[in-house]
Amino acid sequence: MNDIKKITVLEKVFPDNCSGCRLCQAICSFEHEGSFAPWLARIIVIEKDFRETTPHTCNLCEEPVCIACCPFDALSKSSENGTIILDEKNCTGCGRCVRECQYKAIVFDDERMIPLICNLCGGNPKCVDVCPRGVLSLSNKT
Amino acid sequence: MYGWTGKILIVDLSNRKVSIEDTDINLAKKFLGGRGLNSYFLYKEVKNRIDPFDPSNVLIFGAGPLAGTLMPASCRFTVTALSSTTGGHGDANSGGMFASEIKYAGFDNIIFRGKADKPVYLRIDRKGIFIEDAGELWGKDSWDTQAALRKKLGGEEYQIACIGIAGENLARVASVMHGLKRAAAKGMGAVMGSKNLKAIAVKGFKPLKVARSKEFADKALKILKSHIRGDMTLYGTTGGVIPEVKSGYSPASKNLQTTVFEGIKYIDPRILREKYITKVKSCYGCSISCGRLYDVKEGEFSGLDGEGPELAALWSWGTQPQVASLPAILKADVLSNRLGVDCIETGNTIAFAMECYQRGILTKEDTDGLELDWGNYKTVHTLIEKIAKREGIGDILSEGVERASQKIGKGSHEFAHTIKGQSVSSDMRVKHGIVLGYATSTRGADHLRGLLIDDVMPVEYIKKNFGEEALKSKGVVGKGKAVRWIQDITTVPDCLGLCKIFYILSAGYSVFTFSDFAEMLTLATGEDFSASDVELATERIYNVERMFSARTAGFMRKDDTVPERFFREPTDGGSSKGQKLDRDRFEIILDDYYSARGWDKSNGLPTYEKLKSIGLDDIAEDTRKFTDNYL
Ligand code: SF4
Ligand code: SF4
Ligand code: SF4
């Protein structure tokens, strides 16, 4: 799985640090939900003390904790690009994967009671494209 | 509905009841949203000349139809009320993450009526809409209030607008605060305080839909990509001071006694950037990201941090009181943001008090022993706190320049530079375009609506549409039309929920046209808007605001003027040294402006026929009833 790509959050300095604009979240929710709803984005921008903001993205772990921790085998790994796939009919909405992900990269949809996980938009991540500060990049997972 | 959420939240604070009404599509088409709908609602809600702190005043929040979408910088909300400073139409606009959150909570506007019997805050989230006790929050500054609320409600996702201590104390210079520095000024904080409303905490949960989403997103992304980086990212609005540093000319100095400030080189935005700015910070959806975080790492104010400062803060805490120290300015910036006072009105009031002190109108006996000498930053800091707390001399100064001068008396009014009771932030006496924009703005002195035509001119556009003379500082012909156009085009972002810094200031005035805005509005809402529909809406809004102020404050032609000092005293520096404002020429361009608006030159008010012709029949009828009282 050498050519697995993931979204990397680059450490950047002024004026190219993450500004907290949430355009990545707006476009992600638009891509996947057809509406603007940053809380349903598969990229999570966390703000600290009203100041710094950090985007959290799926790490595409080799041995994903989310898959392992799911009591209902609702999660699996795509053999194609290593992203995490949810089998909705098995998911009970317990939220365990969300809590266990150390990258804080899974969001829980309170409405449908399911986790939302990045699928790299089929290889052309919209968030990477939109980020005005160039904070996000799609790069080889090493 | 698309773009609009289709719902308006009504909060009756007196009876602690909330209700939800549908957004009237016909009104939304006529007034667009945000500021426009707010202004119409205010007109309908407040009918008489009342004390701004009377419970019958309303406080209206409005986010426009594009707010919270993928449209770049769709981050703006407007707060509207009968102004506590002018007594007429009052509104102020702020960015941050609050407008989008109001939309995600499912509302276009929130109208607060009445007054709670004790401090409350409004909470909106998936669980419902609640009017909660704010006893624990009362007395906290704006930063602590927001932090405490997020802690209590258990989420960084709550976006909060609140008042600081200044708003609680009904300081008329108080703003509604959001985040570290986002502020809706123009005295809106005092009205919020008068309602015992400490905060509004919102966590949205309703996905926002636009009508023709694919086309909308494509166009929005195109705008985004064409407009990413520039000086605005590096310096924020403070970049406007760089030319001043280079020329030594500052239009906001020593309560406008001079345009020369030697110390300006020490408050250079480039030094600010190198020494103090650490990170870029953005409002919702913005690629310019003009907000910046700063840190003071050494010296007297070591450990201080905050967000900003804005150009207005460099003027208010720097050039106006002649403070030549960036850390001292940053300290004032933090104080004003935390306590929740508007830097412009507060800074101007302090500069006004300093001039009174300079002239012996105020002495140490009046100032609680403080020395109000120019450049004394400690005094500036102390006064900001006293103003927010209405303590000692701060009680008088918290009233803002106009009312403070009335209370101080002794001829101080000569140095109170206000328009319709709102203070002027800079000296524009030799620039007729700006003068006209300031004089005729619907909310008193105003550096954001109808401004800068002499400075940031879309030269070709103005030449083509209004003639060459409209461009010249002292030009007469075409000025009225040009100012009217600028006032109208700057109204659009306010109504749609967009940022003027993005769409007007940094883009240049003529880059985004009525037709561009109409196109995005059409794609978002699914309703057909032509360029002239949008332009006509802005005209309606100007007329509604004008009529509101006429009804509640009696503002008319006599009030469309600028501080006397500009007619009396020539400037003492810069390329316009020795010049002053010519009264005859001013009256001519004022006539020209009324012609451009189709208003009655004798009183400066829209005529019955004018109001009818732009579809404001209800307001035209009102006019018949109330104008007699004022004419
Ligand atoms: S939320 Fe669904 S996918 Fe996640 S751990 Fe629980 S059952 Fe598995
Ligand atoms: S790649 Fe696509 S799904 Fe993943 S975070 Fe970005 S926009 Fe969302
Ligand atoms: S789009 Fe980029 S700058 Fe904006 S919040 Fe996302 S990662 Fe940060």
Side-chain angles (χ1 to χ4, degrees):
Chain A
M1 299 249 267
N2 272 344
D3 52 351
I4 291 287
K5 290 193 162 145
K6 69 165 209 156
I7 297 165
T8 309
V9 178
L10 306 168
E11 285 274 333
K12 297 185 110 185
V13 295
F14 177 88
D16 281 312
N17 58 282
C18 169
S19 67
C21 69
R22 293 176 197 262
L23 278 161
C24 51
Q25 294 190 294
I27 202 156
C28 178
S29 64
F30 181 68
E31 174 75 12
H32 298 282
E33 309 289 334
S35 57
F36 302 107
W39 65 97
L40 298 179
R42 281 74 167 157
I43 178 168
I44 304 168
V45 180
I46 298 180
E47 182 185 89
K48 198 171 156 244
D49 293 339
F50 301 90
R51 291 169 174 79
E52 281 163 47
T53 47
T54 321
H56 290 242
T57 62
C58 177
N59 183 53
L60 274 71
C61 305
E62 233 129 89
E63 292 176 23
V65 177
C66 55
I67 296 183
C69 81
C70 175
F72 305 98
D73 284 337
L75 296 172
S76 63
K77 197 182 198 148
S78 150
S79 55
E80 221 170 286
N81 65 3
T83 56
I84 310 293
I85 305 168
L86 174 75
D87 183 354
E88 273 194 49
K89 68 177 186 314
N90 283 354
C91 176
T92 62
C94 70
R96 188 154 169 192
C97 53
V98 177
R99 290 190 298 274
E100 299 276 325
C101 173
Q102 69 177 101
Y103 299 96
K104 295 188 188 151
I106 308 183
V107 79
F108 195 73
D109 178 350
D110 291 313
E111 197 73 37
R112 284 169 294 183
M113 298 292 283
I114 49 165
L116 306 176
I117 308 178
C118 171
N119 72 350
L120 296 177
C121 295
N124 182 19
K126 296 285 186 290
C127 57
V128 172
D129 179 57
V130 82
C131 175
R133 307 255 76 81
V135 171
L136 307 171
S137 86
L138 184 70
S139 47
N140 282 332
K141 185 165 163 62
T142 44
Chain B
M1 286 167 103
Y2 294 98
W4 301 289
T5 63
K7 299 284 173 205
I8 292 163
L9 176 63
I10 318 266
V11 182
D12 175 351
L13 290 165
S14 302
N15 299 306
R16 298 213 181 197
K17 280 209 175 91
V18 297
S19 55
I20 295 172
E21 288 179 7
D22 290 339
T23 305
D24 178 336
I25 181 72
N26 293 318
L27 279 184
K29 281 163 84 171
K30 270 171 109 167
F31 297 98
L32 310 179
R35 168 180 158 198
L37 274 179
N38 278 14
S39 294
Y40 183 74
F41 292 148
L42 179 68
Y43 183 89
K44 286 287 163 187
E45 296 265 343
V46 177
K47 297 218 157 61
N48 302 308
R49 206 181 268 242
I50 54 163
D51 181 328
F53 300 143
D54 191 279
S56 64
N57 197 357
V58 286
L59 184 74
I60 311 173
F61 285 70
L66 300 188
T69 66
L70 198 59
M71 186 74 172
S74 55
C75 60
R76 291 269 161 178
F77 63 101
T78 298
V79 188
T80 305
L82 180 132
S83 163
S84 61
T85 1
T86 70
H89 172 88
D91 69 30
N93 185 278
S94 175
M97 314 300 284
F98 195 66
S100 44
E101 215 61 34
I102 295 178
K103 295 288 293 291
Y104 303 148
F107 298 111
D108 294 318
N109 305 75
I110 306 177
I111 303 178
F112 292 93
R113 292 183 183 138
K115 173 184 180 170
D117 54 354
K118 41 183 213 256
V120 295
Y121 72 93
L122 182 77
R123 183 186 125 207
I124 311 175
D125 53 29
R126 190 180 286 278
K127 296 203 182 85
I129 303 163
F130 308 93
I131 298 171
E132 311 261 28
D133 185 75
E136 285 171 18
L137 300 172
W138 209 251
K140 284 197 193 322
D141 71 31
S142 75
W143 292 8
D144 291 345
T145 299
Q146 294 177 76
L149 267 174
R150 279 191 175 177
K151 196 160 171 233
K152 185 185 167 94
L153 303 175
E156 299 272 309
E157 302 89 0
Y158 280 88
Q159 297 299 341
I160 299 155
C162 68
I163 49 170
I165 293 159
E168 293 177 7
N169 291 325
L170 308 186
R172 286 178 204 262
V173 296
S175 301
V176 174
M177 303 301 301
H178 161 60
L180 295 182
K181 68 135 183 183
R182 298 284 157 192
K186 305 280 174 197
M188 292 299 117
V191 176
M192 186 153 160
S194 75
K195 302 197 163 298
N196 266 329
L197 178 63
K198 178 67 179 172
I200 306 162
V202 189
K203 182 177 168 184
F205 57 96
K206 291 189 177 161
L208 179 64
K209 286 204 180 326
V210 291
R212 290 155 63 181
S213 52
K214 174 84 178 68
E215 288 163 90
F216 177 84
D218 287 349
K219 288 254 154 66
L221 284 178
K222 218 169 133 202
I223 298 172
L224 185 86
K225 304 234 158 173
S226 67
H227 209 62
I228 287 186
R229 165 74 84 61
D231 277 2
M232 202 52 98
T233 307
L234 299 178
Y235 305 112
T237 51
T238 65
V241 175
I242 295 175
E244 294 174 25
V245 172
K246 288 182 180 159
S247 65
Y249 167 90
S250 171
S253 266
K254 236 178 165 180
N255 199 34
L256 314 190
Q257 289 183 81
T258 176
T259 49
V260 184
F261 175 37
E262 287 291 330
I264 197 161
K265 53 183 178 287
Y266 299 109
I267 64 168
D268 189 333
R270 292 165 295 188
I271 302 175
L272 175 73
R273 180 198 152 190
E274 273 156 39
K275 256 188 112 168
Y276 302 101
I277 299 297
T278 56
K279 292 212 152 38
V280 156
K281 185 97 198 309
S282 183
C283 293
Y284 173 83
C286 183
S287 53
I288 291 179
S289 308
C290 74
R292 294 136 302 131
L293 296 173
Y294 56 76
D295 242 325
V296 180
K297 294 194 189 74
E298 53 185 34
E300 189 180 351
F301 302 108
S302 177
L304 187 83
D305 82 323
E307 185 185 344
E310 298 293 330
L311 165 71
L314 289 193
W315 282 354
S316 296
W317 315 130
T319 59
Q320 271 281 54
Q322 309 265 286
V323 169
S325 151
L326 280 169
I329 290 172
L330 295 178
K331 173 72 185 173
D333 191 52
V334 167
L335 278 172
S336 63
N337 289 335
R338 296 191 74 147
L339 295 164
V341 295
D342 167 25
C343 71
I344 296 179
E345 191 67 37
T346 309
N348 289 345
T349 311
I350 291 173
F352 159 76
M354 284 179 155
E355 185 167 359
C356 290
Y357 189 80
Q358 169 199 323
R359 294 176 188 278
I361 296 172
L362 286 176
T363 66
K364 263 169 111 169
E365 272 166 40
D366 307 302
T367 63
D368 317 321
L370 283 176
E371 287 175 12
L372 267 62
D373 38 350
W374 298 107
N376 188 336
Y377 65 82
K378 289 207 163 80
T379 290
V380 172
H381 297 162
T382 309
L383 284 178
I384 295 172
E385 290 205 45
K386 280 176 174 285
I387 286 171
K389 294 176 180 158
R390 275 191 177 266
E391 207 177 77
I393 179 78
D395 187 38
I396 294 172
L397 301 183
S398 74
E399 296 279 279
V401 175
E402 180 71 33
R403 283 184 168 80
S405 81
Q406 285 163 9
K407 290 197 170 166
I408 291 166
K410 301 183 194 167
S412 66
H413 199 258
E414 204 179 312
F415 319 113
H417 309 126
T418 60
I419 300 173
K420 304 183 177 78
Q422 191 82 50
S423 70
V424 172
S425 55
S426 71
D427 186 341
M428 73 313 243
R429 83 189 83 184
V430 295
K431 297 177 173 179
H432 285 72
I434 300 182
V435 162
L436 190 55
Y438 264 71
T440 58
S441 163
T442 50
R443 55 176 190 173
D446 195 328
H447 69 293
L448 286 169
R449 295 172 185 170
L451 81 169
L452 292 181
I453 124 161
D454 311 72
D455 288 347
V456 195
M457 290 179 296
V459 175
E460 289 312 316
Y461 186 91
I462 292 189
K463 243 193 228 168
K464 190 168 139 239
N465 290 283
F466 313 114
E468 193 128 5
E469 217 185 306
L471 278 173
K472 298 186 185 132
S473 264
K474 291 190 175 172
V476 171
V477 181
K479 267 289 188 256
K481 277 193 184 142
V483 166
R484 178 199 152 163
W485 167 70
I486 291 211
Q487 288 176 336
D488 288 350
I489 194 82
T490 52
T491 299
V492 186
D494 287 346
C495 296
L496 304 192
L498 304 178
C499 178
K500 252 184 257 168
I501 292 175
F502 189 105
Y503 289 93
I504 308 278
L505 283 178
S506 71
Y509 279 73
S510 59
V511 170
F512 292 96
T513 60
F514 286 111
S515 128
D516 296 323
F517 289 121
E519 183 185 15
M520 294 311 286
L521 198 50
T522 302
L523 295 176
T525 62
E527 300 288 337
D528 280 328
F529 281 97
S530 66
S532 55
D533 290 336
V534 174
E535 191 169 1
L536 183 60
T538 63
E539 189 183 6
R540 276 189 204 108
I541 293 159
Y542 243 78
N543 278 270
V544 169
E545 293 170 354
R546 184 77 175 179
M547 291 314 291
F548 180 84
S549 292
R551 187 169 66 178
T552 58
F555 290 152
M556 290 186 291
R557 179 173 184 136
K558 65 177 170 36
D559 306 285
D560 289 345
T561 185
V562 294
E564 277 302 307
R565 197 172 206 160
F566 296 170
F567 293 110
R568 200 178 55 224
E569 293 172 18
T571 54
D572 65 347
S575 56
S576 55
K577 188 169 172 172
Q579 296 178 24
K580 58 183 180 177
L581 188 60
D582 183 274
R583 192 176 298 274
D584 293 339
R585 197 181 289 126
F586 174 74
E587 295 299 332
I588 293 169
I589 56 174
L590 193 57
D591 277 344
D592 191 41
Y593 172 81
Y594 294 140
S595 301
R597 283 246 171 251
W599 291 352
D600 184 340
K601 284 183 197 166
S602 70
N603 57 23
L605 293 181
T607 57
Y608 177 84
E609 291 73 26
K610 173 80 211 174
L611 293 169
K612 278 263 192 198
S613 74
I614 54 176
L616 296 176
D617 299 55
D618 47 347
I619 294 172
E621 295 305 329
D622 288 354
T623 318
R624 292 225 148 134
K625 278 177 248 152
F626 81 78
T627 36
D628 295 350
N629 303 335
Y630 294 102
L631 300 182

